[in-house]
Amino acid sequence: MRLPPLSLYVHIPWCVRKCPYCDFNSHEVTPGTHVTTRHAIGSEPAGNHVPEAEYVDQLERDLRSQLPWVQGRRLGSIFFGGGTPSLFSPVAIGRILDLAEALIGFQDGIEITLEANPGTFEQAKFAGYHSAGINRLSIGVQSFDPLQLQNLGRIHTGPEAEVAATQARAAGFSNINIDLMHGLPGQTEADALKDLQRAVELGVEHISWYQLTIEPNTAFYSAPPVTPGSAQIAAIQRAGRAYLGDAGYARYEVSAYGRAGRASRHNLNYWSFADYIGVGAGAHGKFTLPDIGQIIRTQRTRTPRDYLSLGLSTGSGDGGEAFPLPKTSPVAMAELPVEFLMNALRLEGGVEVETFSAYTGLPLAVLEREWRSLRAMELVEPLGPRITTSQFGYDYIDEILQRFLPRD
């Protein structure tokens, strides 16, 4: 077992409005001024205030607490997700980046992504984010169609989304992603292609194009919309993949398409079973511990109030209690094959075969019996030089993974 590359995920949990399809850890705030004045740690800010300064202080403590798991590595990518990270000021984002660089260090050419809403409030800060060190902007468009934006509970318009991409370019960003969804209520193949066409015409380097799914604990789960049937979804996906391929966007992951050299380094880190630090309310992480032959997963408490309360003094009077480690759970040896494959097989072309043993500590032989059976069904390619599905099998990843689930 050897140490894989390392990334950092920073979770900003607030958003202006909770979208009905969203099952991420996000919490609504009333839109307005974002204060940096201090509140009592653990208290909720009143009205339209987001406790930006206090939250950044906690992120620093959070990051410092996890430094022993860094094990001498530098960061290859950073991703600010949410919620809506663009609610935070460029000054706050810059402070987080300065801390990460000082405490851990950056690899040459590090990719630093920030998710942003297309609204005019966020657009005004694009240049500041670029100056702070963000070099990749991910704009949450979802659709350019006004009816679909209404269906999805989005608070921007199609023209605002177009302007956002233009403004991002003017602010200096040379690496821009647009998020789009398909399989929306009443959506036709022509509708889906129109969304893709508008994104392509904006000249962005990367498009994340994923199917609307109805997740538990969402408004859509309680009152599900009528979405296209499976045959219509399949037709939309075939047409969209062909269109994006013809437009110069290579599919490298189930729902990710990039121009040459523009695949997201952060995405690739996740799907190749590498490590990542997670800081912020509800953030997850993964660490490899070669000295004890173990992989652990971490998770922080989800609610902003609880997160802001971490590390309070328990009565010693100095207010300097050690910041607690996140909740950790080891990945059981029996679960490692499926854990590895559920990531690696999402990549078009998979991963190099040697990474399986290098990152799990298991011999390749643990995959071979089931792999031969799957190969006979033409669902996978031979086991080496890469671990990958066949072109046919790429649409049946869930069925492939079933073969590797631990059995009692």
Side-chain angles (χ1 to χ4, degrees):
M1 182 181 287
R2 72 161 188 256
L3 281 174
L6 182 68
S7 292
L8 170 65
Y9 175 76
V10 182
H11 192 75
I12 310 295
W14 293 281
C15 58
V16 174
R17 180 190 295 173
K18 182 81 170 181
C19 296
Y21 57 85
C22 178
D23 68 336
F24 295 136
N25 183 37
S26 59
H27 303 264
E28 281 191 7
V29 295
T30 304
T33 303
H34 309 166
V35 299
T36 57
T37 54
R38 304 283 168 175
H39 302 275
I41 293 294
S43 68
E44 290 291 353
N48 58 7
H49 295 163
V50 173
E52 180 181 272
E54 292 89 338
Y55 194 77
V56 175
D57 287 346
Q58 289 293 78
L59 290 174
E60 177 179 359
R61 299 180 186 109
D62 196 348
L63 187 58
R64 287 183 182 276
S65 77
Q66 300 185 59
L67 290 179
W69 290 325
V70 171
Q71 302 174 88
R73 292 169 289 181
R74 292 176 178 267
L75 296 171
S77 67
I78 300 174
F79 194 98
F80 290 84
T84 306
S86 54
L87 288 177
F88 271 32
S89 69
V91 171
I93 298 299
R95 181 183 163 203
I96 297 166
L97 292 178
D98 289 344
L99 287 167
E101 185 170 23
L103 294 174
I104 302 175
F106 294 169
Q107 293 181 9
D108 291 342
I110 184 173
E111 174 194 276
I112 306 176
T113 303
L114 182 132
E115 290 184 333
N117 271 350
T120 54
F121 176 82
E122 282 83 359
Q123 292 175 31
K125 295 184 283 186
F126 285 177
Y129 294 136
H130 189 266
S131 297
I134 301 297
N135 55 28
R136 184 175 182 270
L137 203 65
S138 181
I139 304 174
V141 174
Q142 314 314 345
S143 178
F144 293 96
D145 185 304
L147 177 59
Q148 296 297 357
L149 290 172
Q150 181 179 348
N151 288 336
L152 295 171
R154 304 295 290 173
I155 59 175
H156 65 270
T157 66
E160 282 179 328
E162 294 176 347
V163 170
T166 303
Q167 291 289 90
R169 191 73 73 202
F173 286 98
S174 59
N175 196 359
I176 300 170
N177 170 67
I178 280 181
D179 281 347
L180 291 173
M181 302 176 78
H182 67 272
L184 306 179
Q187 188 180 54
T188 66
E189 182 180 315
D191 294 334
L193 289 176
K194 187 175 180 180
D195 271 347
L196 291 176
Q197 181 180 1
R198 293 176 82 175
V200 169
E201 289 171 349
L202 289 168
V204 296
E205 286 71 30
H206 191 280
I207 297 173
S208 298
W209 189 54
Y210 51 97
Q211 182 183 342
L212 171 65
T213 55
I214 309 302
E215 303 290 350
N217 302 314
T218 65
F220 274 178
Y221 189 78
S222 301
V226 178
T227 55
S230 57
Q232 180 67 14
I233 291 289
I236 288 172
Q237 291 174 341
R238 285 193 299 270
R241 291 168 191 166
Y243 173 75
L244 288 170
D246 291 343
Y249 293 84
R251 185 189 190 198
Y252 68 94
E253 189 265 338
V254 169
S255 57
Y257 301 76
R259 293 194 181 277
R262 293 302 195 178
S264 167
R265 288 181 62 180
H266 198 80
N267 287 352
L268 291 173
N269 192 72
Y270 280 145
W271 305 132
S272 59
F273 206 58
D275 285 356
Y276 50 97
I277 309 168
V279 296
H284 292 254
K286 169 189 171 285
F287 295 98
T288 302
L289 308 176
D291 289 349
I292 58 174
Q294 192 174 77
I295 292 171
I296 61 171
R297 296 200 179 277
T298 67
Q299 183 179 6
R300 279 295 181 197
T301 185
R302 289 176 58 85
T303 65
R305 180 193 294 271
D306 291 343
Y307 183 76
L308 287 167
S309 298
L310 291 173
L312 287 178
S313 173
T314 58
S316 65
D318 61 5
E321 298 297 315
F323 198 80
L325 289 171
K327 178 182 178 182
T328 62
S329 56
V331 180
M333 192 74 68
E335 295 173 356
L336 277 174
V338 73
E339 287 272 342
F340 180 92
L341 291 173
M342 74 170 58
N343 290 279
L345 296 186
R346 289 183 63 96
L347 292 172
E348 183 115 5
V351 298
E352 293 182 358
V353 70
E354 62 91 21
T355 61
F356 177 76
S357 294
Y359 291 173
T360 67
L362 298 173
L364 193 62
V366 302
L367 300 181
E368 287 176 347
R369 186 180 69 176
E370 295 295 348
W371 205 265
R372 283 194 296 269
S373 175
L374 293 165
R375 176 63 182 156
M377 293 185 284
E378 300 184 344
L379 290 170
V380 297
E381 296 295 334
L383 201 54
R386 303 187 69 80
I387 299 175
T388 182
T389 70
S390 64
Q391 186 174 2
F392 168 67
Y394 201 43
D395 291 328
Y396 297 94
I397 293 174
D398 288 345
E399 288 78 3
I400 293 171
L401 293 175
Q402 289 292 323
R403 298 294 195 96
F404 298 95
L405 290 173
R407 289 168 173 77
D408 295 333

